[in-house]
Amino acid sequence: MKPVHVLSVAAEIYPLIKTGGLADVAGALPTALARHGVRMVTLVPGYPAVLAALEGGKPVAHIDSLGGGAATLRGGRAAGLDLLVLDAPHLYDRPGNPYLGPDGRDWPDNGARFAALAQVAAMIGGGLVPRYRPAVIHAHDWQAALVPAYRHYAGADAPPVVLTIHNLAFQGRFPRDLLGAIGLPDAAFTLDGVEYYGEIGYLKAGILFADAITTVSPTYATEIASETGGMGLGGLLAGRGDDLAGILNGIDTEVWNPATDALLPRRYDAGDPCARATNKAALQAAFGLEPLPDAPLFGVVSRLSEQKGLDLLLGALPDLCAAGAQLALIGTGEAWLEDGFRTAAARHPGQVSCRIAYDEATAHLVQAGCDALLVPSRFEPCGLTQLCALRYGAVPVVARTGGLADTVVDANEAAVRAGAATGFVFTPIDPSGFAAVIRRVLAGYRDVPAWQAMQRAGMRADVSWDRPAQDYAALYRRLAERRRDA
Ligand code: ADP
Ligand code: GLC
């Protein structure tokens, strides 16, 4: 089979720069796809962390004027990834979080910064880099969503574009007066162009002009193509019909492998989930929780935002503590939630402990040591932490929404009898639904054989990229062939 060359375009990529699951996906896909005949090169902004890691980095193209300055495109490798790095210091030479300034707010020029990324991707599609012509461009989220719009308005013979929506809540809306500065014609500012509620809608434009749209789970694909789940874009998404599909995320099963994970005090596999006891004790010690081997220990690894529903957990903490359970949380995000968890930890010393931080090593320890991982999201396009939990023998407790609904088999009577249950799935996503599922979990935890069966079923579940990579590869080939036939 001839390899298909795909240019992936992403504002984050693990392990170089990450704020969430988008980085994990962008970082894992190239390796997973290589096994399916796809050669993926990823275009990323030249943040300091990316440039510092780049080996080679020789200039492959120069752009005199891009978003108010000159830019150099550098080709090279970093962390095993083939990259094209957009070295444009006036746009990206800013340390830390890729979107936020030191005041914790969005950089005021984010509209220009990510339009430039998309514009350069479209230029690469049009032949900017000598001897490199991708057959397909894969654009991730609003930051890259203008790629097909640039192609459309340039009228060039450029490759087909797949747009993946990782989270419809982030739509990239910017003022109309940016249009000229980002190199789009005035004529683009119409309802069947980039206009969206009086502004420029990056994701809106992507949805309109992409050749195919994917999102990160089948259930989320259905949810977003509707009035209720569409966040203003439901009609447009529904209008794309079969061009919209859900392809479930996987996780990197080498980064997340309890049998080889160097970050764990004790490594283990599905044959011996009881070996997790050592990790549970280490987690309790690290978090200053009482060293009680039999106390049900809940874990959370999450951004702290409205989306993640963790205020439901805050409300349930008194009951949880009264039942003798413990909580170890690692997360950062919105101040009201950070404060809420700090206060809760102070109120329940030894029983509730929160690390307001972003730390990969602690995330691994939580997954390896907690009994049940909580993901009570109000909506969740896919969710990766419940997949890590499955692989690590932490029983996931998730809301019935998006990818959570697609990846966890609820411990109902039939599933338990069939040995298929892997966790707990709850609805309604409100205080009553959450309180009820916590009661079910606490009861389930006391039934040791059933609990262990659930752990083993979870650890055997396929959470790898194998299947999704096949689906992406098939999609790229379809699009590439369609173009050849046209
Ligand atoms: P989202 O992208 O919406 O934040 P996902 O579940 O898809 O949610 O991905 C989150 C990723 O970020 C996972 O890899 C998770 O382990 C990681 N993560 C989230 N918060 C933290 C944290 N505080 N410390 C370490 N890793 C975190
Ligand atoms: C987004 C979503 C999350 C998904 C991730 C990777 O951040 O919130 O559900 O897993 O992207 O696709």
Side-chain angles (χ1 to χ4, degrees):
M1 211 175 352
K2 260 183 68 187
V4 191
H5 290 267
V6 178
L7 177 70
S8 169
V9 189
E12 304 179 22
I13 190 161
Y14 178 87
L16 304 175
I17 177 109
K18 164 167 164 179
T19 71
L22 162 63
D24 292 307
V25 174
L29 259 183
T31 311
L33 284 164
R35 290 192 274 273
H36 300 280
V38 175
R39 298 251 174 90
M40 183 168 266
V41 172
T42 308
L43 173 69
V44 285
Y47 312 113
V50 172
L51 285 168
L54 191 64
E55 302 150 22
K58 72 170 191 314
V60 293
H62 187 79
I63 304 158
D64 288 334
S65 168
L66 180 75
T72 303
L73 194 60
R74 299 183 185 280
R77 280 175 71 78
L81 299 158
D82 287 315
L83 301 181
L84 282 169
V85 176
L86 183 54
D87 186 2
H90 58 293
L91 300 174
Y92 310 123
D93 185 12
R94 306 171 198 185
N97 185 296
Y99 315 115
L100 309 179
D103 58 359
R105 293 181 194 212
D106 285 345
W107 290 107
D109 59 347
N110 276 350
R113 296 173 75 217
F114 295 103
L117 182 72
Q119 191 174 10
V120 169
M123 288 161 78
I124 296 170
L128 176 71
V129 179
R131 293 183 304 284
Y132 179 62
R133 281 307 267 272
V136 175
I137 301 183
H138 189 164
H140 294 276
D141 269 352
W142 72 266
Q143 299 94 322
L146 283 181
V147 177
Y150 281 111
R151 183 194 54 179
H152 178 82
Y153 292 106
D157 172 35
V161 178
V162 178
L163 170 69
T164 294
I165 300 171
H166 293 266
N167 193 335
L168 196 63
F170 303 110
Q171 301 188 350
R173 289 171 62 167
F174 298 96
R176 166 189 193 151
D177 56 19
L178 202 62
L179 207 59
I182 63 173
L184 285 171
D186 283 346
F189 200 74
T190 59
L191 204 60
D192 54 4
V194 304
E195 191 272 338
Y196 185 53
Y197 293 104
E199 298 186 297
I200 311 171
Y202 287 26
L203 195 62
K204 182 253 170 160
I207 293 169
L208 198 62
F209 292 122
D211 298 270
I213 302 162
T214 68
T215 187
V216 288
S217 69
T219 293
Y220 194 60
T222 309
E223 288 169 353
I224 61 177
S226 74
E227 196 66 37
T228 40
M231 297 185 163
L233 291 165
L236 200 61
L237 282 161
R240 293 297 316 250
D242 290 344
D243 292 336
L244 169 67
I247 300 180
L248 211 50
N249 286 333
I251 53 171
D252 187 324
T253 46
E254 278 168 30
V255 174
W256 292 98
N257 181 356
T260 58
D261 191 336
L263 297 166
L264 306 187
R266 169 90 191 258
R267 289 178 269 286
Y268 59 97
D269 60 24
D272 187 18
C274 295
R276 296 177 84 257
T278 310
N279 296 318
K280 179 170 178 176
L283 177 61
Q284 286 170 326
F287 273 69
L289 296 168
E290 286 176 52
L292 302 170
D294 295 328
L297 172 49
F298 290 93
V300 172
V301 178
S302 186
R303 284 189 292 123
L304 302 179
S305 75
E306 172 85 19
Q307 172 192 341
K308 301 292 178 180
L310 290 163
D311 46 310
L312 298 175
L313 171 58
L314 277 178
L317 275 180
D319 285 349
L320 212 137
C321 289
Q326 299 180 331
L327 172 71
L329 170 145
I330 173 146
T332 50
E334 292 165 18
W336 65 288
L337 287 166
E338 291 189 352
D339 292 345
F341 280 105
R342 275 197 199 97
T343 308
R347 198 168 290 153
H348 305 281
Q351 236 183 327
V352 171
S353 177
C354 303
R355 257 211 212 148
I356 305 301
Y358 186 96
D359 182 56
E360 300 270 345
T362 308
H364 283 241
L365 182 61
V366 171
Q367 294 283 13
C370 76
D371 295 302
L373 186 93
L374 295 168
V375 195
S377 308
R378 295 200 162 77
F379 68 94
E380 194 62 74
C382 179
L384 299 176
T385 58
Q386 84 281 9
L387 301 181
C388 302
L390 288 169
R391 181 133 171 98
Y392 275 54
V395 172
V397 180
V398 305
R400 189 182 298 286
T401 184
L404 300 175
D406 289 339
T407 52
V408 179
V409 181
D410 179 62
N412 62 44
E413 217 33 55
V416 171
R417 279 204 201 140
T422 59
F424 295 85
V425 186
F426 74 94
T427 190
I429 310 172
D430 66 11
S432 71
F434 190 69
V437 81
I438 293 297
R439 284 194 296 274
R440 285 180 66 209
V441 175
L442 293 172
Y445 182 72
R446 286 190 291 270
D447 183 348
V448 176
W451 187 269
Q452 287 179 353
M454 211 154 34
Q455 286 180 301
R456 277 192 290 268
M459 292 181 81
R460 280 193 304 264
D462 181 7
V463 293
S464 77
W465 275 106
D466 289 348
R467 175 67 201 279
Q470 264 178 54
D471 292 345
Y472 279 114
L475 173 63
Y476 301 147
R477 281 183 205 284
R478 264 201 315 278
L479 289 174
E481 271 156 31
R482 209 199 281 166
R483 183 182 183 216
R484 261 200 303 278
D485 295 345

